[in-house]
Each structure stands twice: as structure tokens, then as C-alpha cells.
């Protein structure tokens, strides 16, 4: 049984606790500022939607598809359409989306090369990829108490991972718990 089966009912409740709420509000504000650097998408894929706590960031996305690897989390997500799938194996055709977001996902992904390849594949040329990474800071190590298997990466490791594709770095910000990244998929020269 997945740890998310028992964590899903507590997830939004814990995130609403005063200390976590303040930290997460700062993260969300920074993400909102970074997201303003991308034009509003026509079709948007949100990877790792969870219970939907971050979906308010995407009010400018008229067509939003949510995806998560945990059925327990998706059951708590009211948004439609929603799909059960992993970030490393996206069930979409190439060049499908104008924006792909993955907030709080990369630290759960072991094969980051596959993760970035899949995001690149499903994005249209000139599309944007908004994601976060969890650096090696004490607060992120505390998450291990939840029994999570985390893959914490510093900015240098993330830059090395994305350097294998044709991305343009639009923004990179850092807050207490995470780093926010906005990349643009470059059109491949033919």
C-alpha cells in the first residue's frame, strides 16, 4: 500500500496549519510572480496535482488537465479532467500543451532525465514548463519523518539535468523550502 493512501486525508489539513500555511503562501506568491512571465496557456497540464491545493495559481488556464500518481490524492481532487499517471510516463501525444507545471513533484522522481524528457516531449515548441525543486535544506530533510523517499537536488544538479534538451531559462527563484523554475521549450531547428 502506498504511503499516500494514509497521507492523502491529512495532506490539505496539515498544509492549512498556521506555520505551514505561512511558508506555503510565500512559495505560492513567488510562483505566481514567476508564472506571470509566461503567457496564459490554451491547454495546460498540471503534473502532481494532488488534492488541488495549488490549482488556484492557474486561474488563467481555461483548459487544465490534472495528473497525479496517487489514486488516494486524485479521489480528493474535485477538478476534472484528472488522470492517474506518473510524471515519467505521460499518456499524451507529443506537442500537446502550451504549459506544463509540476509543483512539488521533482523531489519524488528518481529518474529526473526521464521526467524532463517527458515534459519536453508533451510541450509545444515555445511552450513553458513551470516546476519546483527541493534543495538540500534542513526543512526538506524533516519530510523524511513522513516516510517519504525524496530525491533532493541543488540548482546545479537541476541545471545539468535540463541542459540535455533545448530549454531557455526564463526564471529561477529560491524560497525557504524550494526553488521555482520557469523554462521555455525552444523550437527545434529542422
Amino acid at each position: 500500500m502506498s504511503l499516500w493512501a494514509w497521507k492523502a486525508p491529512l495532506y490539505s489539513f496539515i498544509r492549512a496549519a498556521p506555520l505551514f500555511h505561512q511558508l506555503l503562501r510565500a512559495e505560492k506568491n513567488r510562483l505566481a510572480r514567476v508564472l506571470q512571465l509566461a503567457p496564459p496557456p490554451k491547454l495546460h497540464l498540471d503534473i502532481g496535482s494532488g488534492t488541488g491545493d495549488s490549482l488556484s495559481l492557474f486561474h488563467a488556464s481555461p483548459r487544465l488537465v490534472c495528473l497525479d500518481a496517487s489514486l488516494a490524492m486524485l479521489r480528493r481532487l474535485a477538478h476534472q479532467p484528472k488522470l492517474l499517471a506518473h510524471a515519467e510516463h505521460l499518456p499524451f501525444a507529443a506537442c500537446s500543451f502550451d504549459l506544463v507545471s509540476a509543483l512539488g513533484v521533482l523531489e519524488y522522481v528518481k529518474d529526473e532525465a526521464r521526467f524532463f524528457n517527458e515534459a519536453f516531449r508533451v510541450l509545444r515548441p515555445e511552450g513553458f514548463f513551470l516546476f519546483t525543486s527541493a534543495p538540500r535544506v534542513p526543512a526538506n530533510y524533516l519530510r523524511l519523518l513522513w516516510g517519504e523517499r525524496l530525491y533532493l537536488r541543488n540548482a546545479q544538479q537541476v541545471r545539468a539535468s535540463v541542459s540535455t534538451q533545448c530549454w531557455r531559462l526564463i526564471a529561477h527563484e529560491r524560497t525557504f523550502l524550494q526553488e521555482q523554475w520557469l523554462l521555455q521549450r525552444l523550437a527545434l531547428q529542422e
Side-chain angles (χ1 to χ4, degrees):
M1 175 158 95
S2 166
L3 289 175
W4 287 105
W6 67 267
K7 287 195 287 188
L10 300 172
Y11 186 77
S12 294
F13 175 77
I14 289 171
R15 291 173 64 93
L19 175 64
F20 293 109
H21 179 73
Q22 290 295 92
L23 288 172
L24 296 171
R25 188 171 68 192
E27 303 284 335
K28 205 172 193 178
N29 289 342
R30 183 68 57 93
L31 280 163
R33 285 200 319 258
V34 169
L35 188 58
Q36 288 178 354
L37 299 173
K42 293 179 182 132
L43 188 55
H44 174 181
L45 171 64
D46 183 52
I47 301 169
S49 299
T51 60
D53 292 345
S54 297
L55 295 183
S56 63
L57 279 169
F58 308 126
H59 56 83
S61 299
R63 293 181 54 208
L64 174 64
V65 177
C66 294
L67 180 139
D68 204 282
S70 167
L71 184 57
M73 295 296 266
L74 284 176
R75 285 186 175 139
R76 299 186 173 310
L77 177 64
H79 182 84
Q80 292 290 341
K82 58 186 175 184
L83 295 154
L84 180 66
H86 289 272
E88 303 96 317
H89 305 282
L90 299 175
F92 303 103
C95 303
S96 296
F97 297 94
D98 304 300
L99 174 66
V100 172
S101 55
L103 308 181
V105 175
L106 183 57
E107 58 264 33
Y108 296 102
V109 174
K110 183 176 183 179
D111 186 353
E112 76 269 16
R114 178 88 182 185
F115 169 76
F116 288 114
N117 285 340
E118 281 293 276
F120 188 87
R121 182 184 66 78
V122 301
L123 266 175
R124 294 179 179 143
E126 306 296 323
F128 290 86
F129 184 30
L130 175 70
F131 68 96
T132 60
S133 61
R136 292 178 178 95
V137 296
N140 282 329
Y141 283 110
L142 288 175
R143 294 166 62 191
L144 296 172
L145 297 175
W146 272 72
E148 296 178 4
R149 174 64 175 116
L150 297 177
Y151 302 93
L152 304 177
R153 297 171 175 95
N154 62 34
Q156 200 171 15
Q157 291 169 307
V158 174
R159 286 178 195 275
S161 293
V162 299
S163 69
T164 60
Q165 287 119 0
C166 295
W167 295 107
R168 175 183 298 130
L169 177 62
I170 303 298
H172 174 226
E173 302 280 334
R174 175 132 190 212
T175 52
F176 181 69
L177 290 176
Q178 59 184 209
E179 296 187 33
Q180 299 83 19
W181 302 82
L182 181 64
L183 305 178
Q184 184 177 27
R185 181 188 191 270
L186 299 178
L188 299 175
Q189 302 297 325
E190 306 212 8

